[in-house]
Amino acid sequence: MGFFKLLKQDIDVVFDQDPAARTYIEVCLTYSGLHAIWSHRIAHAFYQKKFFFLARVISQISRFFTGIEIHPGAKIGKRFFIDHGMGVVIGETCEIGDNVTIYQGVTLGGTGKEKGKRHPTIEDNALIATGAKVLGSITIGESSKIGAGSVVLEDVPDHSTVVGIPGRVVIQNGEKIRKDLDHHKLPDPISEVLKEMEDEIKKLQNELKNIKGANKRDN
């Protein structure tokens, strides 16, 4: 695929994903996520040709102006969309597939000083919500969603939804999950456990009342 065609796809995905986008001029001039992706594509081209210093300079200039840090070694596919984007960090050995969406404050990072592949692989059509941290050489499966504020340390299967700290799979149904993520409607596994405990306590209290009532009648 030609370089300029790839840039055109980066613009088109903004209109697909952001209802606030109005005109091509507005998107090209004011969307920091788009600027960061374009800068990365240039930096990555230099990185592949082993112009490492120049690639890092481009990425750092982009970071200064956009607030988004993408290492020039990261591999990013087509139609990648960063919504807002402030505070996004993408590590050197990240591999991101096609049609991936991430929100502000997301970190795709490592867990220490390990060598080799040390950052996540994000497969096609995945969505990573605000403030989520995906750490280590793990894989986020195709069409999966990571809920806002989650910390993910293990592989996520395809077509799954993950929430919590540490992240837990709460939805997995084998069918493609919609791209839009209702952050306020995500299931909370901790609250669900507490609710089960509360129901069990009420049940035990009712049983205890019945036993006391039976004892009084016997007396």
Side-chain angles (χ1 to χ4, degrees):
M1 176 181 294
F3 184 74
F4 290 102
K5 186 175 181 180
L6 187 62
L7 300 187
K8 173 65 164 51
Q9 287 188 341
D10 291 332
I11 298 174
D12 291 340
V13 75
V14 174
F15 287 99
D16 291 343
Q17 297 292 335
D18 188 356
R22 294 180 177 83
T23 66
Y24 278 97
I25 293 177
E26 177 189 24
V27 168
C28 290
L29 294 181
T30 66
Y31 275 64
S32 59
L34 182 63
H35 300 159
I37 294 166
W38 281 353
S39 296
H40 171 74
R41 298 208 187 281
I42 296 170
H44 184 66
F46 282 111
Y47 189 88
Q48 288 183 308
K49 295 181 182 299
K50 300 189 184 301
F51 292 106
F52 300 125
F53 177 73
L54 181 57
R56 287 305 299 268
V57 168
I58 293 171
S59 70
Q60 289 302 301
I61 292 173
S62 173
R63 177 184 180 228
F64 178 81
F65 284 105
T66 66
I68 299 168
E69 181 173 347
I70 308 176
H71 192 284
K75 298 176 182 177
I76 297 178
K78 298 176 292 184
R79 296 174 60 83
F80 179 51
F81 178 55
I82 302 176
D83 195 0
H84 299 291
M86 180 61 70
V88 166
V89 177
I90 299 175
E92 178 184 12
T93 61
C94 275
E95 297 179 19
I96 299 175
D98 298 336
N99 300 302
V100 171
T101 297
I102 66 176
Y103 289 80
Q104 67 269 24
V106 166
T107 298
L108 306 179
T111 58
K113 296 183 179 180
E114 62 268 40
K115 301 293 184 180
K117 182 74 168 73
R118 59 191 185 278
H119 298 106
T121 295
I122 314 298
E123 296 190 347
D124 296 349
N125 302 306
L127 184 150
I128 305 177
T130 304
K133 313 300 176 187
V134 182
L135 306 176
S137 181
I138 62 176
T139 298
I140 306 302
E142 183 177 351
S143 298
S144 289
K145 299 177 181 179
I146 308 301
S150 300
V151 177
V152 184
L153 303 173
E154 298 180 351
D155 290 345
V156 174
D158 295 346
H159 309 291
S160 300
T161 298
V162 171
V163 298
I165 303 174
R168 298 187 181 101
V169 176
V170 293
I171 297 175
Q172 183 182 3
N173 56 28
E175 301 211 355
K176 186 173 181 179
I177 299 172
R178 296 184 309 149
K179 269 293 259 199
D180 55 318
L181 177 58
D182 294 327
H183 300 224
H184 64 292
K185 295 181 181 177
L186 285 173
D188 185 343
I190 296 177
S191 294
E192 289 173 2
V193 170
L194 293 175
K195 182 66 168 59
E196 290 176 3
M197 292 176 63
E198 182 181 3
D199 292 341
E200 187 66 24
I201 290 170
K202 288 181 179 178
K203 181 180 176 182
L204 291 172
Q205 287 175 336
N206 290 333
E207 290 179 358
L208 184 59
K209 287 180 181 179
N210 292 335
I211 292 172
K212 288 181 177 179
N215 289 337
K216 286 180 180 179
R217 288 193 296 271
D218 292 340
N219 293 332

